Amino acid sequence: MSRPVVITVAITGSVARKKHSAAVPVTPNEQIMATKEAFDAGASVVHIHVRNRDESSSSDPSLFQQVQEGVRHLCPGMIIQFSTGGRGREASERGSALFLMPDMATLTTGSVNFPKEIYANPPDFVADLAQSMNQFRIKPEIEIFDLSMLYSAKELVEKEILQAPLHCQFVLGVKNALPAKRSVLEFLVSEIREILPGSTWTAVGIGKHQLEVLEWSLELGGHVRTGLEDSLRIDKDRLAKSNAELVQIAAEACTRFDAYPASPEEARKILGLS
Ligand code: ZN
């Protein structure tokens, strides 16, 4: 029987600028329109970073608020997920927009090397961010950039700082972190099934690994993420025209694995959101 798959679109991210691809939406208005197109193409979750006027990463709650309001208006039922990710943001500000009560927010449960920096998430910081999410009734998406982060998430469940079932995202193909290898994903999936039964998961491959990881994820029973944050290209010769074009590719891939893009209602049920 065909299964519904939650497609998350990561529209902007914190790295790529207009000079890398004109398709990257950076103003709230561009972000709202890009999300609407991606929603129409089958995405049920939007993962949001916001940018300052000079395109640098921002933590400004008023920018998050503008995007959230626009998306709620144009994309009824779509799940809104704020990034609390670190690149280019002060640690003390990474949770500063959570009071806006998006449906979800990302939570990285440990530290790791990124290509050129340390992505620092010390234990107390992670626990504080998780508690803020509890306070504002936000479901975390646990970002797994390295294996230990899965076990740290389990420990937070045992301490009742996080509530099972979790939703985890395995990020593969970031230089200095987990490689985009199928055997690595298979191991992560077997571990999550064992130590966090009933949890849902997504896998994403960064850059040139996008499509192969998406297909492994569909094959192994996971959900998928795509978008210009993760990959600016369709293939080595062509930039993606839009986030929607990447979502279309993900939606087509679903049909090859006896799956279909979940509606917002189905996605909410799968992720345990109201
Ligand atoms: Zn992100």
Side-chain angles (χ1 to χ4, degrees), residues 2 6 9-10 12 47 54-55 64 70 74 78 96 99 121 123-124 133 136 144-145 156 211 234 238 254 258:
S2 192
V6 178
V9 62
T12 300
H47 169 79
D54 65 357
E55 299 187 51
F64 278 107
L74 288 182
M78 192 177 203
S96 66
F99 75 93
N121 294 286
D124 286 351
M133 292 183 200
F136 295 114
I144 308 289
F145 288 92
L156 290 167
L211 193 58
I234 298 297
R238 186 162 82 76
C254 286
D258 203 18

Side-chain angles (χ1 to χ4, degrees), residues 47 49 83 225 229:
H47 169 79
H49 293 247
S83 171
R225 181 173 119 162
E229 169 169 355

